[in-house]
Amino acid sequence: MTRNEELFLRAQKTIPGGVNSPVRAFRSVGGAPRFFARGAGPRVWDADGKEYIDYVGSWGPLILGHADADTVRAVQEAAMKGLSFGAPTEAEVELAELLVQRVPSMEMVRLVSSGTEATMSAIRLARGFTGRDAIIKFEGCYHGHGDSLLVKAGSGLLTFGNPSSAGVPADLAQHTLVLDYNDAQGLRDAFAKHGKTTACVIVEPVAGNMNLIAPKPEFLAAMRELCTQHGAVLIFDEVMTGFRVGPGSAQGLYGITPDLSTFGKVVGGGMPLGAFGGRRDIMEKIAPLGPVYQAGTLSGNPLSVAAGLVTLKKVAAPGFYDALTAKTKTLVDGLAAAAKKRGVKFSAQSVGGMFGVYFAATPPTSYAEIMASDKEAFNRFFHAMLDGGFYLAPSAFEAGFVSAAHSDADIAATIAAADAIFAAG
Ligand code: KE4
């Protein structure tokens, strides 16, 4: 038995499923998860000492690669001055100022400790600001595990949702309307029917939780127009896309100004940090200024803030995103070319430093299309790449991530490994 297998058996005795977040359990792809012992740059080593080139990067935060020296040093220095105060610090002000400078749609921002906290708080804020209860989300988009967001589409079109998780009260879920991603007409129809009672629309501006689905230009534009027309709050959930798809995040890439934005992952550089922010008139409704309550013992934690500040400063280096975007495109173009050469039904695409690979003839543009892709083929590919020392996201319905630490040689080796797998059939 390998050390990984031993650890997985042991972990399952005290931790549900042996993991602290479900997707890590490999249930979608099968087999035992890898327990990581160390990471450096683009690489990780598992409990058996096996080395992998990592394309998960802790699900997006590690845009600089594992154990980035500057980030680690900043966290160490902060730690020497105290781990947490539960009181304001200068560094939090510096990070808030940097975030509102980098994200022009944000006039004010509140720091929290996870993406879930950010989206949960943004939803409550939108409801408090508008005095309305209904929210709109899209099937296949994941916004963390806040109750109102663990909802799946209702039985009939435009009927309110049902819980997608046990423990979510039906009478809460029925305030959530779940529509189809990239369906602008469906959104128009929903607003025609529910516009007066809709508090907000929350969307992943580039979907990354049903694998990568790129937005159709008219989809985001319609969303902006309809929210303005009906007085609903437009929330861009940029937890994954924030500072990942470009220097201006997805809102900068597509030129759409949301009313609120949520961030996580990259903004914490691998440490627990999330943020939500936006229009001043909305943000001033948040306690202690306004009636919408939100709080957190470790919000703005000095170590997370230190990691976030270094990360956001380093990604602002000239050419950082041009290089990351080009490298990621080289990866997906190389994978697609290898599959085509070998006659494998496969496609791939990237947006900035995130990418999707699909066992489908063309990149899916909707939840239904991604669900029709060949999941078993992906799972076989995943394990063949894993055996070869390449760690992809352990699910056909997750996006992948490239870091600044991945070298051209790493990308070339990844393409060569995939080519050999495609050739083997
Ligand atoms: P966290 O609470 O996990 O920090 O953030 C929740 C969240 C919110 N919004 C978006 C767009 C997200 O992608 C996420 C979290 N993403 C998943 C990856 N699919 C995190 C991995 C996991 O759940 O373990």
Side-chain angles (χ1 to χ4, degrees):
M1 185 180 288
T2 65
R3 185 102 177 85
N4 275 302
E5 287 162 342
E6 269 174 28
L7 282 169
F8 192 38
L9 281 177
R10 184 175 143 203
Q12 291 174 80
K13 293 189 177 72
T14 53
I15 305 171
V19 291
N20 285 310
S21 198
V23 71
R24 304 177 188 176
F26 271 34
R27 288 187 171 229
S28 181
V29 292
R34 298 304 187 263
F35 283 64
F36 288 153
R38 183 169 72 88
R43 284 169 174 74
V44 284
W45 286 264
D46 72 15
D48 291 292
K50 184 176 169 61
E51 177 181 312
Y52 305 87
I53 294 180
D54 178 18
Y55 287 103
V56 179
S58 183
W59 300 98
L62 302 180
I63 198 164
L64 299 177
H66 286 275
D68 170 69
D70 297 318
T71 307
V72 170
R73 191 176 313 110
V75 172
Q76 287 170 328
E77 286 167 6
M80 297 302 283
K81 289 185 266 180
L83 300 180
S84 179
F85 303 103
T89 63
E90 182 177 356
E92 290 166 74
V93 182
E94 192 187 343
L95 181 54
E97 289 169 344
L98 191 154
L99 284 168
V100 301
Q101 185 254 326
R102 295 277 180 84
V103 187
S105 68
M106 290 209 300
E107 296 176 288
M108 300 193 92
V109 65
R110 168 64 57 87
L111 302 180
V112 294
S113 297
S114 72
T116 291
E117 270 195 277
T119 58
M120 186 175 71
S121 307
I123 295 284
R124 183 181 311 129
L125 176 56
R127 283 171 160 158
F129 176 72
T130 60
R132 302 172 181 178
D133 292 340
I135 68 170
I136 290 174
K137 76 174 289 287
F138 300 91
E139 187 127 48
C141 286
Y142 174 68
H143 303 287
H145 60 92
D147 280 352
S148 286
L149 293 160
L150 292 178
V151 176
K152 60 180 184 285
S155 48
L157 273 182
L158 299 189
T159 54
F160 281 89
N162 303 313
S164 62
S165 163
V168 174
D171 57 16
L172 176 64
Q174 58 110 17
H175 295 291
T176 302
L177 182 59
V178 184
L179 302 179
D180 288 335
Y181 194 84
N182 270 333
D183 177 5
Q185 190 51 52
L187 191 58
R188 285 192 191 90
D189 296 345
F191 268 102
K193 193 170 178 187
H194 303 292
K196 290 184 175 47
T197 57
T198 298
C200 65
V201 175
I202 184 166
V203 69
E204 289 184 61
V206 176
N209 287 285
M210 49 175 148
N211 207 318
L212 191 158
I213 303 264
K216 292 177 179 170
E218 67 273 16
F219 180 56
L220 297 178
M223 203 174 292
R224 177 63 279 171
E225 177 197 325
L226 289 161
C227 283
T228 303
Q229 187 184 340
H230 293 272
V233 175
L234 175 55
I235 302 173
F236 267 19
D237 177 357
E238 299 234 38
V239 168
M240 186 182 283
T241 54
F243 303 99
R244 167 59 63 179
V245 299
S249 304
Q251 54 196 273
L253 193 62
Y254 296 106
I256 301 282
T257 301
D259 301 307
L260 291 178
S261 301
T262 56
F263 292 91
K265 297 181 193 279
V266 170
V267 297
M271 295 291 284
L273 193 123
F276 66 97
R279 282 170 33 195
R280 183 178 296 275
D281 62 325
I282 300 177
M283 290 300 289
E284 287 181 342
K285 295 293 183 190
I286 278 281
L289 278 184
V292 179
Y293 195 68
Q294 183 275 333
T297 301
L298 296 177
S299 294
N301 173 269
L303 279 64
S304 299
V305 168
L309 281 169
V310 166
T311 301
L312 291 178
K313 286 171 184 168
K314 290 188 78 169
V315 300
F320 180 92
Y321 286 99
D322 292 342
L324 182 68
T325 298
K327 196 173 350 180
T328 312
K329 191 160 183 346
T330 300
L331 173 66
V332 297
D333 289 350
L335 293 173
K340 186 172 182 183
K341 184 173 68 176
R342 307 295 185 179
V344 173
K345 192 164 84 167
F346 175 94
S347 54
Q349 67 179 332
S350 62
V351 180
M354 64 191 273
F355 66 91
V357 297
Y358 321 92
F359 283 83
T362 56
T365 63
S366 71
Y367 177 77
E369 285 178 27
I370 187 68
M371 286 300 146
S373 67
D374 187 340
K375 177 176 179 254
E376 295 318 314
F378 171 83
N379 290 353
R380 291 192 299 275
F381 179 68
F382 169 84
H383 278 288
M385 289 293 275
L386 191 69
D387 294 345
F390 301 88
Y391 188 72
L392 300 174
S395 164
F397 308 112
E398 293 285 353
F401 306 95
V402 174
S403 82
H406 285 77
S407 69
D408 293 344
D410 295 327
I411 300 293
T414 307
I415 294 165
D419 181 57
I421 293 164
F422 292 144

